[in-house]
CSV table of all heavy atoms in Angstrom, one decimal:
chain,number,residue,atom,x,y,z
A,3,ASP,N,5.5,6.2,-0.8
A,3,ASP,CA,6.6,5.5,-0.1
A,3,ASP,C,5.8,4.3,0.7
A,3,ASP,O,4.9,4.5,1.5
A,3,ASP,CB,7.0,6.5,1.0
A,3,ASP,CG,8.1,5.9,1.9
A,3,ASP,OD1,8.3,4.7,1.8
A,3,ASP,OD2,8.5,6.6,2.8
A,8,PHE,N,0.5,2.9,5.1
A,8,PHE,CA,-0.6,2.4,6.0
A,8,PHE,C,-0.7,3.3,7.3
A,8,PHE,O,-1.5,3.0,8.1
A,8,PHE,CB,-0.3,1.0,6.4
A,8,PHE,CG,-0.4,0.1,5.3
A,8,PHE,CD1,0.7,-0.4,4.6
A,8,PHE,CD2,-1.6,-0.5,4.9
A,8,PHE,CE1,0.6,-1.2,3.5
A,8,PHE,CE2,-1.7,-1.4,3.8
A,8,PHE,CZ,-0.7,-1.7,3.1
A,13,ALA,N,-5.7,1.7,12.6
A,13,ALA,CA,-6.9,1.2,13.4
A,13,ALA,C,-7.7,0.1,12.7
A,13,ALA,O,-8.1,-0.9,13.2
A,13,ALA,CB,-7.7,2.3,13.8
A,16,VAL,N,-5.6,-3.2,12.3
A,16,VAL,CA,-5.7,-4.0,13.5
A,16,VAL,C,-7.0,-4.8,13.6
A,16,VAL,O,-7.0,-6.0,13.9
A,16,VAL,CB,-5.4,-3.1,14.8
A,16,VAL,CG1,-5.7,-3.9,16.0
A,16,VAL,CG2,-4.1,-2.5,14.8
A,20,PRO,N,-7.1,-10.1,8.0
A,20,PRO,CA,-7.2,-11.6,8.4
A,20,PRO,C,-6.0,-12.1,9.2
A,20,PRO,O,-4.9,-11.6,8.9
A,20,PRO,CB,-7.4,-12.3,7.1
A,20,PRO,CG,-6.7,-11.4,6.1
A,20,PRO,CD,-7.0,-10.0,6.6
A,47,SER,N,6.6,-6.3,9.9
A,47,SER,CA,5.7,-7.0,10.9
A,47,SER,C,4.4,-6.3,11.2
A,47,SER,O,3.4,-6.8,11.8
A,47,SER,CB,6.4,-7.2,12.2
A,47,SER,OG,7.0,-5.9,12.7
A,51,ILE,N,0.1,-9.1,13.5
A,51,ILE,CA,-0.7,-10.2,13.2
A,51,ILE,C,0.0,-11.5,13.0
A,51,ILE,O,-0.2,-12.5,13.6
A,51,ILE,CB,-1.7,-10.0,12.1
A,51,ILE,CG1,-2.6,-8.7,12.4
A,51,ILE,CG2,-2.5,-11.2,11.7
A,51,ILE,CD1,-3.4,-8.2,11.2
A,53,ALA,N,3.3,-12.1,13.7
A,53,ALA,CA,4.1,-12.4,14.9
A,53,ALA,C,3.4,-13.2,15.9
A,53,ALA,O,4.1,-14.1,16.6
A,53,ALA,CB,4.7,-11.2,15.4
A,64,PHE,N,11.6,-10.9,16.5
A,64,PHE,CA,12.0,-9.5,16.3
A,64,PHE,C,11.0,-9.0,15.2
A,64,PHE,O,11.0,-9.6,14.1
A,64,PHE,CB,13.4,-9.4,15.8
A,64,PHE,CG,14.4,-9.8,16.8
A,64,PHE,CD1,15.0,-11.0,16.8
A,64,PHE,CD2,14.8,-8.8,17.8
A,64,PHE,CE1,15.9,-11.3,17.8
A,64,PHE,CE2,15.7,-9.1,18.8
A,64,PHE,CZ,16.3,-10.4,18.8
A,68,PRO,N,9.2,-0.4,9.8
A,68,PRO,CA,9.6,1.0,9.5
A,68,PRO,C,8.5,2.0,9.9
A,68,PRO,O,8.9,3.3,10.1
A,68,PRO,CB,10.1,1.2,8.1
A,68,PRO,CG,9.2,0.1,7.4
A,68,PRO,CD,9.0,-0.9,8.3
A,80,LEU,N,0.7,-6.8,21.2
A,80,LEU,CA,1.5,-7.9,21.7
A,80,LEU,C,2.1,-7.7,23.0
A,80,LEU,O,3.1,-8.2,23.4
A,80,LEU,CB,2.5,-8.3,20.7
A,80,LEU,CG,2.0,-8.7,19.3
A,80,LEU,CD1,3.2,-8.9,18.3
A,80,LEU,CD2,1.2,-9.9,19.3
A,102,SER,N,21.9,-14.0,13.3
A,102,SER,CA,21.3,-13.9,14.6
A,102,SER,C,19.8,-14.6,14.6
A,102,SER,O,19.2,-14.7,15.7
A,102,SER,CB,21.0,-12.4,14.9
A,102,SER,OG,20.3,-11.7,13.9
A,104,ASP,N,16.9,-17.7,13.1
A,104,ASP,CA,16.8,-19.0,12.4
A,104,ASP,C,15.8,-19.0,11.3
A,104,ASP,O,16.0,-19.8,10.2
A,104,ASP,CB,16.3,-20.0,13.4
A,104,ASP,CG,17.2,-20.2,14.6
A,104,ASP,OD1,18.4,-20.5,14.4
A,104,ASP,OD2,16.8,-19.9,15.7
A,112,PHE,N,6.3,-8.8,1.3
A,112,PHE,CA,7.5,-8.9,0.4
A,112,PHE,C,7.3,-8.1,-0.8
A,112,PHE,O,8.4,-7.6,-1.4
A,112,PHE,CB,7.7,-10.4,0.1
A,112,PHE,CG,9.0,-10.5,-0.8
A,112,PHE,CD1,10.2,-10.4,-0.3
A,112,PHE,CD2,8.7,-10.8,-2.2
A,112,PHE,CE1,11.4,-10.5,-1.1
A,112,PHE,CE2,9.9,-11.0,-3.0
A,112,PHE,CZ,11.2,-10.8,-2.5
A,127,VAL,N,21.6,-11.9,8.0
A,127,VAL,CA,21.1,-12.1,9.3
A,127,VAL,C,20.8,-13.6,9.7
A,127,VAL,O,20.7,-13.9,10.9
A,127,VAL,CB,19.9,-11.2,9.6
A,127,VAL,CG1,20.3,-9.7,9.4
A,127,VAL,CG2,18.7,-11.6,8.8
A,128,LEU,N,20.6,-14.4,8.7
A,128,LEU,CA,20.2,-15.8,8.9
A,128,LEU,C,21.4,-16.6,9.4
A,128,LEU,O,22.6,-16.4,8.9
A,128,LEU,CB,19.6,-16.5,7.6
A,128,LEU,CG,18.2,-16.3,7.4
A,128,LEU,CD1,17.8,-16.8,6.0
A,128,LEU,CD2,17.3,-16.9,8.4
A,134,VAL,N,13.7,-18.9,4.9
A,134,VAL,CA,12.9,-17.7,4.7
A,134,VAL,C,11.4,-18.2,4.2
A,134,VAL,O,11.4,-19.2,3.5
A,134,VAL,CB,13.4,-16.7,3.6
A,134,VAL,CG1,13.7,-17.4,2.2
A,134,VAL,CG2,12.6,-15.5,3.4
A,145,SER,N,-14.4,-17.6,-6.9
A,145,SER,CA,-15.0,-18.7,-6.3
A,145,SER,C,-16.5,-18.6,-6.2
A,145,SER,O,-17.2,-19.7,-6.3
A,145,SER,CB,-14.5,-19.0,-4.9
A,145,SER,OG,-13.1,-19.2,-4.9
A,147,ASP,N,-20.2,-15.6,-6.9
A,147,ASP,CA,-20.6,-14.4,-7.5
A,147,ASP,C,-20.1,-13.2,-6.7
A,147,ASP,O,-19.8,-12.1,-7.2
A,147,ASP,CB,-22.1,-14.4,-7.6
A,147,ASP,CG,-22.6,-15.3,-8.7
A,147,ASP,OD1,-21.8,-15.7,-9.6
A,147,ASP,OD2,-23.8,-15.6,-8.7
A,150,ARG,N,-16.4,-12.4,-7.3
A,150,ARG,CA,-16.2,-11.9,-8.6
A,150,ARG,C,-16.6,-10.4,-8.6
A,150,ARG,O,-15.9,-9.5,-9.3
A,150,ARG,CB,-17.0,-12.6,-9.7
A,150,ARG,CG,-16.3,-14.0,-10.0
A,150,ARG,CD,-17.0,-14.7,-11.2
A,150,ARG,NE,-18.3,-15.4,-10.8
A,150,ARG,CZ,-18.4,-16.5,-10.2
A,150,ARG,NH1,-17.2,-17.3,-10.2
A,150,ARG,NH2,-19.5,-17.1,-9.9
A,173,ILE,N,6.9,-19.1,-7.6
A,173,ILE,CA,8.1,-19.8,-7.2
A,173,ILE,C,9.3,-19.5,-8.1
A,173,ILE,O,10.4,-19.3,-7.6
A,173,ILE,CB,7.8,-21.3,-7.1
A,173,ILE,CG1,6.9,-21.7,-6.0
A,173,ILE,CG2,9.2,-22.1,-7.1
A,173,ILE,CD1,6.6,-23.1,-5.9
A,181,GLN,N,18.0,-17.0,-5.5
A,181,GLN,CA,19.0,-18.1,-5.9
A,181,GLN,C,19.0,-19.2,-4.9
A,181,GLN,O,20.1,-19.8,-4.7
A,181,GLN,CB,20.4,-17.4,-6.1
A,181,GLN,CG,20.5,-16.3,-7.1
A,181,GLN,CD,20.2,-16.8,-8.5
A,181,GLN,OE1,20.9,-17.7,-9.0
A,181,GLN,NE2,19.2,-16.3,-9.1
A,186,MET,N,6.0,-24.3,-2.1
A,186,MET,CA,4.8,-23.6,-1.7
A,186,MET,C,3.8,-24.6,-1.1
A,186,MET,O,3.6,-25.7,-1.6
A,186,MET,CB,4.2,-23.0,-3.0
A,186,MET,CG,3.0,-22.1,-2.6
A,186,MET,SD,2.2,-21.4,-4.1
A,186,MET,CE,1.4,-22.8,-4.8
A,188,VAL,N,-0.4,-24.4,0.5
A,188,VAL,CA,-1.5,-23.6,0.5
A,188,VAL,C,-2.5,-24.1,1.5
A,188,VAL,O,-2.7,-25.3,1.6
A,188,VAL,CB,-2.3,-23.6,-0.9
A,188,VAL,CG1,-3.5,-22.7,-1.0
A,188,VAL,CG2,-1.3,-23.2,-2.0
A,209,TYR,N,-4.8,1.1,-1.0
A,209,TYR,CA,-5.1,1.5,-2.3
A,209,TYR,C,-6.5,2.0,-2.4
A,209,TYR,O,-7.0,2.4,-3.5
A,209,TYR,CB,-4.8,0.4,-3.3
A,209,TYR,CG,-5.4,-1.0,-3.0
A,209,TYR,CD1,-6.7,-1.2,-3.1
A,209,TYR,CD2,-4.5,-1.9,-2.4
A,209,TYR,CE1,-7.2,-2.5,-2.6
A,209,TYR,CE2,-5.0,-3.2,-2.1
A,209,TYR,CZ,-6.4,-3.4,-2.2
A,209,TYR,OH,-6.9,-4.6,-1.8
A,217,ARG,N,-14.4,10.2,-3.3
A,217,ARG,CA,-15.1,9.1,-3.8
A,217,ARG,C,-15.7,8.2,-2.7
A,217,ARG,O,-16.3,7.2,-3.0
A,217,ARG,CB,-14.2,8.3,-4.7
A,217,ARG,CG,-13.7,9.0,-6.0
A,217,ARG,CD,-13.3,8.0,-7.0
A,217,ARG,NE,-14.3,7.2,-7.6
A,217,ARG,CZ,-14.0,6.0,-8.3
A,217,ARG,NH1,-12.8,5.6,-8.4
A,217,ARG,NH2,-15.1,5.4,-8.8
A,218,PHE,N,-15.4,8.6,-1.4
A,218,PHE,CA,-15.8,7.6,-0.4
A,218,PHE,C,-17.3,7.5,-0.3
A,218,PHE,O,-17.8,6.3,-0.2
A,218,PHE,CB,-15.3,8.0,1.0
A,218,PHE,CG,-15.8,7.2,2.1
A,218,PHE,CD1,-15.2,5.9,2.4
A,218,PHE,CD2,-16.8,7.6,2.9
A,218,PHE,CE1,-15.8,5.1,3.3
A,218,PHE,CE2,-17.3,6.7,4.0
A,218,PHE,CZ,-16.7,5.6,4.1
A,224,GLU,N,-22.0,1.9,-3.1
A,224,GLU,CA,-21.9,0.7,-3.9
A,224,GLU,C,-21.5,-0.6,-3.1
A,224,GLU,O,-22.0,-1.6,-3.4
A,224,GLU,CB,-20.8,1.0,-5.0
A,224,GLU,CG,-20.8,-0.1,-6.1
A,224,GLU,CD,-20.1,0.3,-7.4
A,224,GLU,OE1,-20.2,1.4,-7.8
A,224,GLU,OE2,-19.4,-0.6,-7.9
Side-chain angles (χ1 to χ4, degrees):
D3 178 1
F8 293 95
V16 171
S47 53
I51 296 171
F64 292 99
L80 301 172
S102 60
D104 300 298
F112 180 75
V127 302
L128 276 172
V134 60
S145 299
D147 289 341
R150 282 186 284 272
I173 285 178
Q181 297 297 299
M186 182 183 73
V188 183
Y209 49 78
R217 294 197 72 192
F218 177 76
E224 190 165 322

